[in-house]
Amino acid sequence: MLRKDNGKQISGFDQYYYEKAVPQNHLLRSIAKTVDFTFIRELLAEQYSSDRGRPAEEPVFLFKICLLEYLYNLSDVQVISHIQVNLAYRWFLDLNIDDELPDDTTISYFRVKRVGLEKFQEIFQRLVDQCIEHGFISAQSKRSIMDSTHIIADVAIPTWLSLVRQAYESVLLELRETNQEIFQQFEQRMLELWNELKGRTRDEKLPVVLQLASEFATAAEPLLNNDEQPNAALVTLKKVISDRDENATDRLISIVDTDARTGHKSDMRKIQGYKDHIMMDEETEIITAIKVTPANAEDGDQLVDLVTQFQDNHGFLPKELSADKGYWFGKNLRFLRENNIVGHISWMKTKQQVSGLFTPEDFQFDAEKMQVTCPNGIVSKAYRDRNKAREDRNGFEFRFTKTQCQDCPLKAKCTSSKSVRNVFISNYYEEFQQAREHYKSDEYKEARKSRWLIERRHADKVRNHGLRRTRYRGLERTYIHALLSTIASNVKRMTKLITDKRQREQSALLAIS
């Protein structure tokens, strides 16, 4: 239950010591002067009972503790111990020197149960609203930048063999109370099998263990699953088994965090965990939209969601958007064109372009006649529909026959094939053509010079606000982790912008007077 009077009074005695001990230019003093957190009480009021229970800790007070954690990269336990001895922290929280503090479990409960993902997203957006109210971001703002960075999962990554065994054992624990006979039977079979496999390599052990795990999953399914909800441990075991197929995608990497995935930073570097996707206003460096996904999610698939998220919350779109080649998707280019957003997106070149061979862009496509003309003037109307594949790779594949190509003087520049030349024309052919022309323009080259600024925001979150490794497990809680890191970074940036603006206004008034 929330108290009716949420005002905390600092005694004159304590205020005297705070004035002496906390410097006037301290970051927390600047934040208190510039950023308004009072809306949080009203936002979270519905999460508390109006007439039952003991008086709860103030939502603004607890949120500020969460903010301190991420401003200074502290854990729940550490932040409470630091508040006990740090006068700046106590001043920021409106605490007297002898006031008692909540324990760390109260902070955890507040973060997960009282606030949760949806409310943290609202808090993030309300703080961006304050930037808009101060005039830092507006419909006249010139350009936004988009990029992502990885978040390491808070788990130890097991081998495939260990993962299967862990999933197997978690189902055994579920069966212990449900069916002792099946539990003992499959527990014993695994122990016996493991003894038989001693001395063999992992590759030799894996198929045998998978076979037993499959039998166990089949036997356990009628005992654990019900009509209302499938058993989570059994679902995980079946997923782990199916993931061992050589053609499997979206593979599970841990039974402790079943949302974490493996992504690839490069051909040689893997990411195991999640990705933090952000959009930021270039001029102010305020992060205006955020999304967290498993690490195997494509960067380009998030562009529409991030831009739409900003529009839904604030009512307007950026005029321009810069991004690297990971966002070079036809659907993104079309979305930007349809919404009158100038897209400064790096050109993702194909293998043909890298090797110097003719690419689909070197062929003239006539959409009305459904034909393509090669650089040598030969026309092909033979094509097959490729609109059943992934949306961004939909289109039509035109074919030039061996007869058409064998005597062509440009064949060496066109293809290394001895039979036919296939030319894929994307459904986004026009968008790609326009984007390639824009890529060569001075406007694109100028916009590209500022794209590094978003790396500075990522670096701030990673180095100063604990983003790199998630503190929690699961996609939803990792999303909260990324939001808090982003809020801390934004609050620092807001404080500087607002302080500088007030100093300019004060200097202008002094000059007039």
Side-chain angles (χ1 to χ4, degrees):
M1 181 178 72
L2 282 180
R3 299 177 179 88
K4 291 183 180 179
D5 180 13
N6 66 321
K8 287 191 175 183
Q9 296 293 326
I10 298 180
S11 71
F13 177 80
D14 289 340
Q15 188 64 49
Y16 172 81
Y17 281 103
Y18 286 146
E19 290 299 318
K20 293 289 187 183
V22 183
Q24 292 301 313
N25 63 351
H26 195 283
L27 173 63
L28 295 180
R29 280 197 184 273
S30 299
I31 291 173
K33 291 175 184 176
T34 54
V35 183
D36 180 15
F37 297 109
T38 57
F39 68 89
I40 292 172
R41 189 175 204 272
E42 181 182 352
L43 182 67
L44 300 181
E46 63 186 30
Q47 304 296 97
Y48 297 82
S49 171
S50 60
D51 56 2
R52 289 188 304 167
R54 293 178 299 173
E57 295 285 356
E58 277 300 314
V60 178
F61 168 71
L62 292 176
F63 174 79
K64 283 184 174 181
I65 293 179
C66 293
L67 180 61
L68 284 173
E69 284 190 36
Y70 280 82
L71 279 172
Y72 297 103
N73 203 10
L74 303 169
S75 67
D76 290 345
V77 174
Q78 288 172 331
V79 76
I80 297 301
S81 64
H82 281 233
I83 293 168
Q84 288 174 342
V85 298
N86 191 311
L87 291 181
Y89 292 4
R90 282 186 169 271
W91 176 88
F92 182 65
L93 297 170
D94 292 324
L95 289 172
N96 285 298
I97 292 174
D98 57 353
D99 281 345
E100 293 186 0
L101 299 174
D103 59 31
D104 57 280
T105 58
T106 302
I107 311 304
S108 177
Y109 183 86
F110 171 79
R111 183 177 55 247
V112 176
K113 299 295 184 181
R114 296 292 193 195
V115 190
L117 176 57
E118 185 178 335
K119 294 297 184 183
F120 271 120
Q121 288 173 317
E122 288 189 51
I123 292 170
F124 165 71
Q125 296 297 349
R126 292 283 287 271
L127 291 170
V128 174
D129 279 337
Q130 291 186 32
C131 295
I132 294 171
E133 290 165 8
H134 280 282
F136 300 132
I137 303 170
S138 70
Q140 283 70 47
S141 293
K142 187 177 180 183
R143 188 181 301 128
S144 291
I145 312 174
M146 190 174 291
D147 201 4
S148 72
T149 192
H150 64 281
I151 304 173
I152 301 169
D154 186 34
V155 293
I157 309 299
T159 63
W160 282 12
L161 183 61
S162 296
L163 187 61
V164 176
R165 288 201 66 193
Q166 289 172 9
Y168 187 101
E169 289 165 3
S170 68
V171 177
L172 276 178
L173 290 173
E174 295 284 324
L175 272 176
R176 178 180 288 172
E177 302 298 327
T178 307
N179 191 306
Q180 272 289 319
E181 182 182 350
I182 299 296
F183 164 74
Q184 291 174 356
Q185 175 188 342
F186 279 94
E187 182 184 43
Q188 187 61 32
R189 285 184 64 181
M190 178 58 83
L191 289 172
E192 291 173 355
L193 178 62
W194 202 247
N195 285 329
E196 290 175 14
L197 294 174
K198 281 184 178 178
R200 298 193 190 182
T201 65
R202 287 177 182 169
D203 290 341
E204 291 171 332
K205 291 176 181 178
L206 184 60
V208 186
V209 173
L210 280 173
Q211 179 60 40
L212 176 57
S214 298
E215 292 179 29
F216 181 39
T218 302
E221 186 161 13
L223 300 173
L224 293 178
N225 281 345
N226 56 57
D227 295 335
E228 296 180 1
Q229 188 175 1
N231 181 270
L234 183 57
V235 169
T236 300
L237 175 60
K238 293 167 75 174
K239 169 70 174 164
V240 169
I241 294 169
S242 65
D243 281 351
R244 302 291 71 81
D245 185 281
E246 61 180 11
N247 297 318
T249 58
D250 194 42
R251 288 189 173 109
L252 207 75
I253 62 172
S254 168
I255 67 165
V256 176
D257 187 344
T258 56
D259 293 329
R261 293 293 186 270
T262 297
H264 294 273
K265 191 76 173 174
S266 64
D267 292 339
M268 301 296 293
R269 187 180 174 194
K270 291 182 179 180
I271 306 165
Q272 292 179 314
Y274 300 90
K275 278 185 181 178
D276 173 48
H277 308 266
I278 62 170
M279 183 172 76
M280 128 187 149
D281 178 69
E282 181 184 298
E283 186 176 352
T284 62
E285 297 185 40
I286 293 292
I287 297 167
T288 55
I290 176 173
K291 183 178 179 182
V292 175
T293 65
N296 61 349
E298 293 272 9
D299 286 0
D301 285 335
Q302 319 313 319
L303 182 146
V304 174
D305 286 348
L306 287 169
V307 174
T308 304
Q309 179 190 131
F310 179 76
Q311 182 185 32
D312 290 346
N313 285 288
H314 309 294
F316 59 92
L317 292 166
K319 288 187 173 182
E320 302 176 28
L321 179 68
S322 292
D324 63 27
K325 64 183 179 181
Y327 298 86
W328 182 265
F329 283 15
K331 64 180 181 181
N332 291 341
L333 298 175
R334 180 169 294 177
F335 171 81
L336 295 175
R337 188 183 73 172
E338 290 174 347
N339 287 278
N340 299 313
I341 302 171
V342 178
H344 306 291
I345 300 181
S346 295
W347 180 6
M348 182 182 287
K349 297 183 179 180
T350 64
K351 292 180 180 179
Q352 292 168 329
Q353 287 157 339
V354 173
S355 62
L357 295 175
F358 290 143
T359 68
E361 294 73 48
D362 296 309
F363 292 72
Q364 294 179 5
F365 173 56
D366 189 327
E368 291 184 5
K369 296 180 180 180
M370 281 303 289
Q371 65 180 35
V372 293
T373 305
C374 80
N376 193 39
I378 305 298
V379 176
S380 174
K381 294 186 177 182
Y383 67 87
R384 61 176 179 171
D385 193 328
R386 286 271 299 273
N387 284 301
K388 295 180 181 178
R390 176 179 147 175
E391 179 189 352
D392 205 58
R393 295 171 186 168
N394 283 352
F396 302 92
E397 188 173 69
F398 287 81
R399 172 169 292 197
F400 290 83
T401 65
K402 183 177 181 180
T403 304
Q404 290 174 302
C405 296
Q406 62 185 356
D407 297 325
C408 178
L410 301 177
K411 185 177 180 181
K413 294 183 179 180
C414 188
T415 180
S416 57
S417 171
K418 295 180 179 180
S419 54
V420 297
R421 167 66 202 254
N422 294 325
V423 180
F424 177 71
I425 302 297
S426 169
N427 286 345
Y428 302 101
Y429 179 84
E430 290 186 15
E431 284 80 8
F432 282 128
Q433 289 284 56
Q434 291 175 5
R436 276 185 287 269
E437 288 302 314
H438 180 73
Y439 178 79
K440 302 171 187 175
S441 70
D442 292 336
E443 188 181 3
Y444 168 81
K445 293 172 183 176
E446 186 64 30
R448 183 179 60 185
K449 293 177 182 178
S450 301
R451 210 167 62 208
W452 66 274
L453 292 170
I454 200 166
E455 300 295 343
R456 183 157 69 184
R457 302 320 307 154
H458 278 313
D460 182 51
K461 291 167 64 176
V462 167
R463 295 175 182 174
N464 302 320
H465 307 301
L467 178 71
R468 179 58 76 220
R469 188 180 186 93
T470 180
R471 300 181 180 191
Y472 319 116
R473 291 168 182 168
L475 179 60
E476 183 173 320
R477 295 192 180 189
T478 298
Y479 206 144
I480 292 172
H481 168 78
L483 276 165
L484 279 165
S485 178
T486 303
I487 289 169
S489 183
N490 266 2
V491 163
K492 272 195 330 186
R493 186 65 187 155
M494 287 170 62
T495 297
K496 177 171 175 31
L497 291 170
I498 296 170
T499 301
D500 289 349
K501 178 187 175 184
R502 288 175 179 172
Q503 288 175 349
R504 288 194 302 270
E505 291 172 348
Q506 188 175 10
S507 298
L509 287 173
L510 289 173
I512 293 171
S513 60

